[in-house]
Amino acid sequence: MSQGALADGWPADRPELSWVQGTSSNVYSIFMRYQELVPSFTQQPESVSGAEMVGGSNNFAVQASRVCAQEEKPQHVPVLLGSNDVCNRTSSSSSDAAANMYSLDTWVNALRAGLDQLAACLPPGATVHVLSIPRVDFLYAAGNAKSLHCPYIIWPAVGICRIVTAEKSGARRAQIGARINEYNAAIRAEVDLYEANADGRNPRGVHFVADWQGSIEEGFQNTSVGTYVFRASDINGTDCFHASVSAQRKLACAVWATNPNGAGAVGECFE
């Protein structure tokens, strides 16, 4: 998502259409919003399509190490990881559709592995903005509303996020959503601990912020990235899954609204 993959339907990364690093006025990205405040503002993105929080060669810890290796340490680091942690897991044949997803302990350890590095290397006063994971389980309904080609032709052919797209039971998709909620709640809890310098986690005084307020089921719909229910117009028509240009713009708006340097109401971004 941070690479703008397939935002305009073209099967490739489209970083110019990314919510965070984009340069297109159609998206009005976080980068562009910072440039309005500080014309000399520059960026050095480290995101990689397909990256997970937990696993793989570009997980959060690896990306954080690349951030820390930059010659000029950044003042602002937005983090959005987690959808691939869900979509890369195999479907479960047990009564629990989330059985093959990462445990909460595994998730938290991976989150800390990245936050520890950023806390140790960023300049005092820098901001780390950790975003909640989108509810990819709701993309099932969005894809079905987009076109019947999505569930019956495109998703099986491409093999995209089969833990969700191959799951016909709404109750079982809700089990996956519940695990995503647990991940998001853990993000908020851990970020709060770093912000408070609990157990000496943040000795340099880095500012840690999370957008998560609570789950949709708890009445917090449209208050964070993780509580927006994607619609058919929010996904591209090529793979019927990745965020469209309009959705990238919504995400940029919502992230900016929860950014300490930003402004606006998250709910208005998703109208």
Side-chain angles (χ1 to χ4, degrees):
M1 189 176 291
S2 296
Q3 290 294 98
L6 289 98
D8 60 355
W10 188 255
D13 285 352
R14 302 287 283 178
E16 70 276 13
L17 299 175
S18 160
W19 65 272
V20 61
Q21 61 178 304
T23 53
S24 168
S25 60
N26 291 329
V27 173
Y28 191 28
S29 69
I30 300 301
F31 169 62
M32 295 175 71
R33 292 167 193 259
Y34 269 124
Q35 276 204 321
E36 284 188 352
L37 296 177
V38 183
S40 61
F41 187 86
T42 60
Q43 64 175 343
Q44 187 170 331
E46 298 292 357
S47 63
V48 179
S49 282
E52 292 188 6
M53 176 74 77
V54 176
S57 59
N58 287 295
N59 62 29
F60 184 30
V62 173
Q63 291 192 42
S65 70
R66 293 202 295 262
V67 171
C68 290
Q70 292 179 13
E71 183 175 352
E72 183 177 356
K73 303 299 184 290
Q75 291 287 341
H76 308 278
V77 181
V79 179
L80 177 59
L81 287 166
S83 294
N84 290 312
D85 296 73
V86 179
C87 289
N88 290 345
R89 309 281 71 77
T90 58
S91 300
S92 169
S93 59
S94 75
S95 60
D96 181 8
N100 292 336
M101 293 173 65
Y102 289 124
S103 71
L104 191 58
D105 285 344
T106 298
W107 172 264
V108 168
N109 287 336
L111 176 63
R112 289 176 181 172
L115 295 181
D116 280 346
Q117 293 186 68
L118 297 178
C121 81
L122 295 182
T127 298
V128 177
H129 193 189
V130 188
L131 288 312
S132 48
I133 310 166
R135 284 284 297 272
V136 294
D137 55 309
F138 289 136
L139 287 169
Y140 179 92
N144 275 268
K146 187 80 173 179
S147 169
L148 289 178
H149 287 88
C150 300
Y152 293 106
I153 298 175
I154 297 173
W155 289 344
V158 179
I160 191 164
C161 201
R162 296 302 283 165
I163 191 172
V164 170
T165 62
E167 183 52 73
K168 304 301 182 185
S169 167
R172 287 175 61 81
R173 292 195 300 275
Q175 292 176 330
I176 295 168
R179 179 63 59 83
I180 296 173
N181 286 342
E182 291 178 354
Y183 292 163
N184 284 332
I187 288 174
R188 182 55 188 256
E190 291 298 314
V191 164
D192 285 350
L193 289 174
Y194 280 85
E195 177 67 7
N197 193 25
D199 303 319
R201 296 185 185 194
N202 185 16
R204 297 170 62 85
V206 175
H207 189 23
F208 287 88
V209 184
D211 72 330
W212 181 255
Q213 303 297 316
S215 71
I216 293 172
E217 292 78 6
E218 295 169 319
F220 289 94
Q221 184 168 336
N222 293 351
T223 60
S224 66
V225 173
T227 56
Y228 178 61
V229 180
F230 284 80
R231 309 166 188 167
S233 60
D234 295 320
I235 55 179
N236 72 75
T238 300
D239 70 354
C240 301
F241 197 82
H242 283 88
S244 64
V245 173
S246 63
Q248 291 279 356
R249 186 179 181 92
K250 289 178 182 179
L251 289 171
C253 176
V255 172
W256 190 245
T258 61
N259 186 315
N261 299 113
V266 177
E268 294 176 357
C269 300
F270 292 135
E271 291 178 353

